[in-house]
Amino acid sequence: MTELLPLLTYCFVMSSTPGPNNMMLTASGANFGYRGSLPHLLGIGVGGAVQTFVACLGLGALFAACPALHAMLRVTGALYLLVLAWKLTGGAAVKGAEVPRPLSFAQGALFQAVNPKSWVKAITVASVFMPAGMGVASGALLLSVVSLAITFPCTSAWALFGVAIRRFLTDPRRHRLFNGIMAGALAVLALLFLR
C-alpha cells in the first residue's frame, strides 16, 4: 500500500494553494456566502475524485509513458493560469460584472475536465501514489476517496475566506488590490508549473 503521509501532504498542498478552483470559490464565497457556494464546492471535490479515479485507471499511465504529453499539459496549464491572472488584474468582467447565481454542482464537477491544475494533481496521484499491492480499481478508488477527503476542507477554506473578506471588497481600491494579489498567486503557480 502507498505511503499515506506523502499522499496526504501532496493532496493538501495541491488543494490548498491558489488555482482556478480556489480563485472561483473565493469569489463565490464573497458574492454568495458559504451556503450558496456549497454546490460548487461539492462539485469540485466529486469532479476531482472522478478525474483521479479515471487517471488511475489508465490515463495517468499514458502521461507517464509519454513525457511529452505531460510537458504539454504543464505548459498549457501554465498558459491558462497566466490568462486567468491577466483577467483578474484588468478584466472589466472581473471588476464590475456580477454573476447572477453561483455555479452549480455539475458546473463545478465539469470544470475539472478543463482545469489544468486538477489534471496535474490527478495524473501525479495516479503515477506516483498508485498502491502496488492492490488491484487497479481498488487502488484508484482508495486514492480518489483520499483526494476527496483532503480537497473538501481545503477548498472550503477558500470559500470561507471569500465570505470573510466580502465586506472589505466594497471599496474599489481594495477590490483591485485583492484581484492583484489573486492574480499574482496564479502567476506564481503558473511559473511553478513550468519548473
Side-chain angles (χ1 to χ4, degrees), residues 1-173:
M1 181 156 156
T2 187
E3 288 293 322
L4 197 55
L5 184 59
L7 171 63
L8 294 174
T9 303
Y10 179 76
C11 289
F12 175 80
V13 169
M14 289 299 286
S15 299
S16 298
T17 53
N21 285 329
N22 292 336
M23 297 301 140
M24 290 189 305
L25 285 171
T26 300
S28 184
N31 288 310
F32 308 111
Y34 185 79
R35 187 176 296 189
S37 303
L38 197 53
H40 179 196
L41 196 106
L42 291 170
I44 287 170
V46 171
V50 169
Q51 187 177 42
T52 299
F53 187 79
V54 169
C56 289
L57 290 182
L59 194 56
L62 175 65
F63 279 92
C66 189
L69 288 175
H70 198 262
M72 185 177 73
L73 178 67
R74 281 197 333 263
V75 170
T76 302
L79 292 174
Y80 179 72
L81 291 177
L82 288 173
V83 168
L84 286 176
W86 177 79
K87 286 182 179 182
L88 270 176
T89 59
V94 174
K95 285 183 185 174
E98 293 216 27
V99 180
R101 58 190 165 89
L103 291 180
S104 68
F105 175 89
Q107 289 169 320
L110 291 173
F111 179 70
Q112 303 322 295
V114 296
N115 181 353
K117 184 180 177 188
S118 188
W119 276 113
V120 167
K121 178 184 173 190
I123 291 167
T124 302
V125 166
S127 59
V128 174
F129 297 106
M130 192 67 174
M134 297 179 79
V136 174
S138 56
L141 182 61
L142 172 68
L143 294 178
S144 299
V145 169
V146 168
S147 179
L148 176 61
I150 296 298
T151 297
F152 183 75
C154 294
T155 53
S156 286
W158 284 87
L160 290 169
F161 175 65
V163 170
I165 62 169
R166 68 194 303 180
R167 65 183 170 160
F168 297 108
L169 298 181
T170 56
D171 179 342
R173 289 176 296 182

